[in-house]
Amino acid sequence: MPGEPACLPGCCPPSASAFPTRWPSDSANPLVSEFDRAAVPEGLATRRQLREMGLSPGGNDGPVAILRCKYCSYRPDQSCNHPTRGFLLRVDLATPKRIPTLAQEQALDQAMAARSTCPRCRRRYYFCLPLRTQGVCDPCHQGFEPSPDTVMTSPATHRLAA
């Protein structure tokens, strides 16, 4: 019929004018900015640098820019997608690190004591033991005496920071 539309709404694909003519600008993507290690602007830092400053990422919703890896600094025309790249966060949005209470540190010390104490000889080591695979420490498993620099001599000492 002459007065009716050619098809019902939604049955045909939209016209070409409904699609964007070009992709959104690069400024719409917050991760487009990439910096070499020597050219990072003031006010941006990696998580490790924030930790050294006594800060946590805090109010940062996500990375603002990418810190290029050493290999990609020789290829400025390509974006860095290597696992060694770093993500830069804003320092002004970072918050001070929270300080754990004495009870929290005691709970962490007890958890580490459980992971580093042999159930057979009851010695506490400075490292975590392979309890899942062996069930005991290496000296108990292989039958030799441990070296004195690996065993804690007095487990009753207070080693908490708070």
Side-chain angles (χ1 to χ4, degrees):
M1 298 212 171
E4 293 182 19
C7 62
L8 298 173
C11 72
C12 294
S15 64
S17 63
F19 291 108
T21 56
R22 63 182 183 86
W23 293 103
S25 66
D26 290 346
S27 62
N29 186 354
L31 293 179
V32 168
S33 301
E34 292 188 4
F35 298 101
D36 289 330
R37 297 191 184 275
V40 176
E42 288 291 322
L44 296 181
T46 62
R47 289 179 68 95
R48 186 171 291 185
Q49 290 169 338
L50 287 177
R51 185 178 352 140
E52 290 173 0
M53 290 186 250
L55 301 172
S56 66
N60 284 297
D61 292 333
V64 177
I66 295 175
L67 180 65
R68 295 169 62 87
C69 67
K70 183 178 176 182
Y71 175 71
C72 289
S73 64
Y74 298 110
R75 306 177 317 156
D77 57 329
Q78 297 177 9
S79 64
C80 179
N81 59 2
H82 295 102
T84 56
R85 71 182 184 268
F87 295 104
L88 297 171
L89 303 168
R90 290 178 45 186
V91 176
D92 59 340
L93 295 179
T95 57
K97 276 184 164 181
R98 295 183 299 165
I99 299 172
T101 64
L102 187 61
Q104 289 172 330
E105 287 199 21
Q106 187 175 11
L108 289 172
D109 187 54
Q110 289 175 353
M112 289 307 296
R115 294 180 67 191
S116 61
T117 303
C118 177
R120 187 181 297 169
C121 65
R122 306 304 299 165
R123 291 186 190 113
R124 184 171 177 187
Y125 291 87
Y126 287 109
F127 51 87
C128 295
L129 298 175
L131 297 178
R132 283 189 176 175
T133 56
Q134 294 179 1
V136 292
C137 62
D138 280 339
C140 290
H141 183 67
Q142 297 175 359
F144 62 88
E145 196 62 28
S147 62
D149 60 336
T150 61
V151 180
M152 290 186 192
T153 55
S154 58
T157 58
H158 183 318
R159 299 184 62 216
L160 304 177

